[in-house]
Amino acid sequence: MTVTLESLRAIPLTASFAAIYGGEDRIPDEIRHPASHFQAIPRVGQYCTLVIARTSDGAEGLGECFGLPTPYPAAEIINRVIAPTLTGQQIGNPSQMAAALRRFFLALGHSRGPAMEALSGVDIALWDLLARREGKTLSAFLGSEPKAIPTYVSPVPFLATPEQSAAAARGLVGSFGGLKLKIGRKHPAEDIAHVHAVREALDPARRLMLDANCGYDAVGARALVAGIEGLDIAWLEEPMPPEETDALRELAGATSIPLAGGENEFTTEALARLMDSTGIRIVQPNITRIGGVSAMRDLDMLAAERNAEIAPHGVGGSIAVAATLQVAAALQTVTVFEVNRLPNPLRDGLGAQISFDVSGLASPPEGLGHGITLQDSDYQVFAETGKFAA
């Protein structure tokens, strides 16, 4: 029997911080301004775009698109462009099903942004659907088995003093193998003080990752690394924008601290260029942005060819987290997973939860596909007229 895609729809979801904290005036400043790229434009909530795919034989798959700064563009692209194109097609390899759409978007200049994020969410939903139809977890469907993945926890956000950052780090790290500190302030000397304080507060066996969120120019990045050499930093993430390839390559050659990046790339081709042009060997894709499950599998081969490692970005809702952990079990180059602890009901209040053992290893939810199953009532509170969307 031929099975076709009967319906595909996208629903923007929002969990506003005002709703989470009980009012605008109760939102902590470090939640509004947690990192360098949220200093001028504050965060006001958590977002994602839910994707629901259903087949003619009643099977369903769920996907998720990257949400920041708003979930609406990706939803519009899915509902108005992708769904009319794919509905009625025979179910098959998700990458092949969407190949013409990908070429179409690239030809229109949409190699970055919501179009690529929309395709990512659709790809996740279709892989989830295929695995469920076979009665398998996504990792098993990809030829592996669910397994626990080493983790680190994030973030210690922008706090006023090094002492506050140190205290936050001690309270956050728990049983995780490492911790991420947000940096990228206007003056590198401020960040250097925070890095020293947090490194001193952590057990030497715990890894310390730094994330500048593209907050420096070349001069600032050089000043930063000069002030933190010898502190056993696991990596320095996105010290500059990914477009600054010459400066990133020069910085990589000037420090012993490994550079990391990739969360702001939207295609595997772009991530390959980033690795080749800068020497970055720790890549951090968002499954909800880079092209979904299909792209993560392709990236695994590209990373292996370059002796690089994948450390997936751990933000997003429950589907993003679960799908990443399921796929990670089937990839050879994944080394560690980020466990984000900013308040996020779209992650913690939708579907099954991620489990951690005493050493901080993370396991995906049990169940078919990526492990997340939702009823309409589960997500309606985060939809446009729901109580969390205000």
Side-chain angles (χ1 to χ4, degrees), residues 284-374:
Q284 301 166 302
N286 283 300
I287 194 171
T288 55
R289 169 176 279 171
I290 195 64
V293 177
S294 299
M296 292 291 285
R297 299 177 79 197
D298 293 341
L299 181 59
D300 189 45
M301 292 185 289
L302 294 171
E305 291 169 358
R306 291 161 174 80
N307 195 29
E309 62 182 90
I310 297 176
H313 205 215
V315 302
S318 60
I319 293 169
V321 173
T324 301
L325 285 171
Q326 287 281 354
V327 174
L331 304 184
Q332 60 177 322
T333 61
V334 172
T335 57
V336 67
F337 175 74
E338 176 183 15
V339 178
N340 185 275
R341 280 292 181 252
L342 286 177
N344 188 356
L346 301 177
R347 177 193 65 223
D348 301 329
L350 283 179
Q353 296 304 299
I354 308 305
S355 63
F356 301 96
D357 68 13
V358 293
S359 63
L361 295 175
S363 297
E366 296 181 356
L368 302 182
H370 48 52
I372 302 296
T373 301
L374 300 176

Side-chain angles (χ1 to χ4, degrees), residues 18 30 32 157 180 182 250 254 258 270 329 371 381:
E30 64 268 21
R32 291 182 182 274
K180 179 185 285 184
K182 291 289 188 176
E250 292 171 4
V381 293

Side-chain angles (χ1 to χ4, degrees), residues 34-35 152-159 161-162 164-166 168-169 172 178-185 190-199 202 207-213 216 224 228 231 233 235-237 338:
Y152 68 95
V153 66
S154 75
V156 173
F158 272 27
L159 294 170
T161 69
Q164 288 175 313
S165 290
L172 182 64
L179 173 141
K180 179 185 285 184
L181 171 68
K182 291 289 188 176
I183 60 172
R185 295 170 176 83
E190 295 180 65
D191 280 330
I192 291 168
H194 283 261
V195 175
H196 277 263
V198 171
R199 179 70 274 180
L202 293 179
R207 304 173 75 197
L208 175 58
M209 293 79 166
L210 306 178
D211 186 0
N213 290 111
Y216 295 113
L224 172 80
I228 59 174
L231 293 185
I233 304 300
W235 69 59
L236 171 58
E237 181 176 339
E338 176 183 15

Side-chain angles (χ1 to χ4, degrees), residues 54-132:
R54 291 193 175 101
T55 62
S56 55
D57 64 352
E60 180 178 279
L62 301 177
E64 179 182 327
C65 311
F66 194 85
L68 286 169
T70 171
Y72 289 92
E76 285 290 290
I77 290 169
I78 291 171
N79 291 332
R80 294 178 180 271
V81 181
I82 298 177
T85 301
L86 294 185
T87 300
Q89 280 195 27
Q90 184 173 342
I91 295 295
N93 180 283
S95 180
Q96 294 173 5
M97 289 181 68
L101 280 160
R102 188 176 190 273
R103 290 193 297 269
F104 173 71
F105 289 136
L106 292 176
L108 289 173
H110 295 293
S111 60
R112 302 175 66 86
M116 294 295 106
E117 292 166 343
L119 287 177
S120 301
V122 171
D123 184 90
I124 294 168
L126 292 174
W127 278 105
D128 181 49
L129 187 155
L130 289 171
R132 291 177 190 272

